[in-house]
Amino acid sequence: MTGSQLKRFKNSLAEQGIIGPQKSKKQRDKLAQDKNKRVKKHEALEQIREQFNPFQFKTHARGRKFDVTTSKPATGLAAMGIAGRPGVAKSVGEERRRQTLLVEMQHRNKVGGIVDRRIGESDPNMTLEDKMMERFAREQMRAHKKSNIFDLEDDDEPTEALTHGGKALTFDEEALKDDFAEDDLGASDESEDDGMHPDRKKLKRLRLTDGGDEEGPEDGQPERKKTKKEIYEEIIAKSKLHKYERQAAKEDDDALRHELDKALPELQALLFQRQKPETKGDQATIKIAGVDKVVVDKDYDIRVKQLAADKRAAPTVKTKTEEEIAEEESKRLRELEEKRLRRMQGEMDLDEEDEEEDKGKKKGKQADEDFELMDAEEPNEFGLGKGIRLRPTATELGFDDEDDFEIEDDLVASGSELEFDEDEDMDEYDEGSDGEEQSDSDDDEFTKGLLTEAEAKNRVFDAAPNSGDDKDGIPYTFECPENHEDLLKVVQGVQVKKLPVAVQRIRALYHPKLANGNKEKLGNFSQALIKHIAYLGDRLEPDWFPTIEALTRHVHSLAKSLPIEVATGYRAHMQEMEEERPLALNVGDLLILTGVGTTFPTSDHFHQVVTPAMLSIARFLGQKIPKDLSDYATGTYLSILAVQYQQFSKRYVPELMNFCLNTLCSLAHQKPVEKLGFFPLHEPSTGVRISGGSKTAVRKLSCSDCKPTLTAPLSPEAENSLKVAIISTTAAVLKAAADTWRAQPSFYETFQPAQAVLQHLVSRKNAKHLPADLIKTLTETTTNMTRLLQLAKLSRRPLELHHHKPLAIKTVIPKFEDSFDPTKHYDPDRERAELAKLRKEHKRERKGAMRELRKDAQFMARENLRVKKEKDAAYEKKYKRLVAEIQGEEGRASNEYEREKAARKKKANKW
């Protein structure tokens, strides 16, 4: 089709028969008989409109690249290559936003308003008659709705009804009256009532018909409504009647009470009067089953008293077999190990705290109120751990335990809370009348377990002890020292070897169950005892080690019942170490750190005592630059403690490795030529390197080696002996550390420098200055280290590519699909296909949501701009109007001024 757009449009209208030459009458009548004429005309116009609007449809830029044959050919607009109608979609979206988003924008930040909830007001399709009918039906449903059977309101009360002119429209109040009834005829005084209100007239007629009947309404007639005066008079009368009745009842009660008071002496005499026993002659003897009734009653009373006096049987404990006992013990130990592992990971054990609180409550019922706190407090409550078990250790029972520490029986009371859990469970059943006897027996068992036989038989440990000394000159009674100065005064004159006996007797005399306030005294005594251990360590003698070990055991035993006080004592000493001598530790500090490791669990992730102790050890090993052999000995001792601390938690301590490797390199006869590893190497002082020690015997390192020699220097033989001991001990520490951290991923990088240092020590230049036994030990340690390093290297797997599924060889054989659809993706993996489908849907929805949000933002911007323009136009119009008014006022004032001026001038010219 050629020609202009207008010509093509006219031709299209002529082809569809919309325009054209005038038709004849016969043709018009024929077209009038066609009922679908209007529909066909509308469809033709729509088709022409779509044909002549090139921007109405969205088409693809280019056609398909390949022709595809499918069983589902495209139909409709898709067959013509039309992808959509952007104009229609835009107009529909714009209209929808005007109905929803624009309304929300207009109502934003606006509160209140009147909402019309009348029926049909919000529905424009309902006519007025429909609205009225719907409202009337709703009112009738509300009126005839069944009321609740429990409704307290009066059933006769009228509900809301339809109104007209302010009056209710009721249809069932009364029957229609006859217009010719004579009931409403007026009386003789009708002329007087002409001006009355209709309701008042009706009320007057009712009163006239009722007459003066005051007794009550007739049968079938409604009751007359009372006036307010009559109601108030009735209320006043009833109130006076009730008041009179109460006064009468009160007077009757007073009269009766007065009569009873008069007759009370006679009743009292009758109650306390005793009858004389009747003689046998007066009354015949009553017998029951051939026995006198008096004898039967007496026997009955005796039996009742015997039953009341009998002791109630206590529940017994089931006798358990050996298998059950072993199973319970194994279960208990497994639970303890699980709790220790949770503490090592830094997890809170809430179940354990609840159990300990319940246990404290049960004990508080049996013990005195003064000692409830002692039974209820538990170490784990304050983050100090469970401590060390007594009697058989976990190692002896076949389990690994970090606190492998055995306490002697004479340090612990057999009846105290340090016993096994089975003893505590057995004690819970002993309640009732023998509670006092049980507490006495517990005290006896405590005294027997804590004192020797001679001391237990002696009366000096009674409630009122006497003063005296034993055969060794040790007093039987002591004052409980509150601090270290008091402790020094108390043990003054007592040999150091006899200090455990004195401590044992102080604990026996001031046990918490013996008197109120003993627990606080023992808490202060435990802190003083910790200071005394450090005091003895600073003045160490070779034969004092058993005494210090026994005192440490006492501190450990006190920590079970007094964990807070013992922990406070240890922390106070470590605080003093940090402030005064962080890098110059003495022997007393080493003993305190040793006591911490044996008293508290060292595997906990965070601990109030062990964590500061470990930090003190790591600070010395990492920051101390050794100057003499005592510094190397002290560092070696701390390295041993560090390995023991990490025996179960197996946390890596880099300061330990650096110090050990530096120590071995510093004590070697010859300095290594090349760098053996990435660890700090300090140049040793003169005389520290070993020389000529091939004939020196290998000995163990002792605490006395950690004391600096301030008076006289050591002899060459003693120096070589100390150097050999340090080298031997350090090698043993490295071997223990390798066994501890062999499962770490970085074991190879960590201990490869240690292997190089050990090989340097056993080299020919250094081996000739070392004894043969030490060289043998170093060789074995090197061999063991090499084997562990090889295993660690073999356990590592090199990086490799993923093992992909082998790909099939491509084939040229075509693959046909009977139900092929080019719009679908064919994937043999169903899960992957579903996942791809979901991803595609999510992407499409996301893009659609973002597109709608952009369109909403653009619509809001356009509306805001339109509103702003309208406001600006209104403001401009108002501004111009005000300016015009002002200018008009000014013009009028100016004209008046000019006229007045001209008039005055004219008047002046006349004169």
Side-chain angles (χ1 to χ4, degrees), residues 259-312:
E259 292 177 0
L260 289 176
D261 291 341
K262 290 181 179 180
L264 186 60
E266 299 177 1
L267 295 175
Q268 201 169 17
L270 292 175
L271 289 174
F272 291 98
Q273 185 179 3
R274 295 185 179 180
Q275 297 180 358
K276 296 181 179 180
E278 298 179 356
T279 59
K280 294 181 179 180
D282 297 339
Q283 185 178 2
T285 306
I286 300 175
K287 294 185 179 182
I288 300 175
V291 184
D292 294 343
K293 184 177 181 299
V294 178
V295 178
V296 173
D297 293 341
K298 190 178 293 184
D299 292 342
Y300 178 77
D301 294 338
I302 293 173
R303 293 294 179 88
V304 170
K305 292 180 180 179
Q306 288 178 354
L307 290 175
D310 285 346
K311 183 179 179 181
R312 185 174 297 178

Side-chain angles (χ1 to χ4, degrees), residues 146-291:
K146 185 178 180 181
S147 62
N148 192 358
I149 61 175
F150 301 104
D151 192 1
L152 299 180
E153 299 294 337
D154 190 4
D155 295 339
D156 297 335
E157 181 180 356
T159 58
E160 296 180 1
L162 296 176
T163 60
H164 177 71
K167 297 182 180 180
L169 299 177
T170 56
F171 301 96
D172 52 355
E173 285 187 353
E174 57 184 5
L176 296 176
K177 296 183 178 181
D178 189 4
D179 294 338
F180 296 97
E182 298 179 358
D183 296 339
D184 56 347
L185 294 178
S188 60
D189 54 350
E190 183 177 1
S191 59
E192 299 177 1
D193 299 337
D194 291 341
M196 287 188 179
H197 195 273
D199 293 341
R200 298 185 64 182
K201 290 182 179 181
K202 183 178 180 181
L203 181 59
K204 186 174 181 180
R205 285 196 299 270
L206 289 175
R207 290 177 179 174
L208 291 174
T209 55
D210 290 343
D213 189 6
E214 296 178 0
E215 295 180 357
E218 298 180 358
D219 296 338
Q221 295 297 328
E223 183 180 0
R224 183 177 64 85
K225 187 177 180 181
K226 297 180 181 180
T227 62
K228 289 186 178 181
K229 182 179 179 181
E230 294 174 350
I231 293 173
Y232 282 122
E233 289 177 353
E234 184 178 355
I235 291 174
I236 293 172
K238 288 183 179 179
S239 176
K240 290 181 179 180
L241 177 61
H242 292 323
K243 184 176 180 182
Y244 174 75
E245 291 177 354
R246 289 196 300 271
Q247 290 178 355
K250 184 178 180 182
E251 292 176 357
D252 295 341
D253 293 341
D254 292 340
L256 182 60
R257 191 179 302 107
H258 186 64
E259 292 177 0
L260 289 176
D261 291 341
K262 290 181 179 180
L264 186 60
E266 299 177 1
L267 295 175
Q268 201 169 17
L270 292 175
L271 289 174
F272 291 98
Q273 185 179 3
R274 295 185 179 180
Q275 297 180 358
K276 296 181 179 180
E278 298 179 356
T279 59
K280 294 181 179 180
D282 297 339
Q283 185 178 2
T285 306
I286 300 175
K287 294 185 179 182
I288 300 175
V291 184

Side-chain angles (χ1 to χ4, degrees), residues 768-788:
K768 61 183 179 179
H769 296 278
L770 300 176
D773 296 340
L774 180 58
I775 294 175
K776 182 179 179 182
T777 303
L778 294 175
T779 304
E780 293 176 357
T781 305
T782 306
T783 304
N784 185 29
M785 193 79 65
T786 304
R787 181 178 60 83
L788 292 177

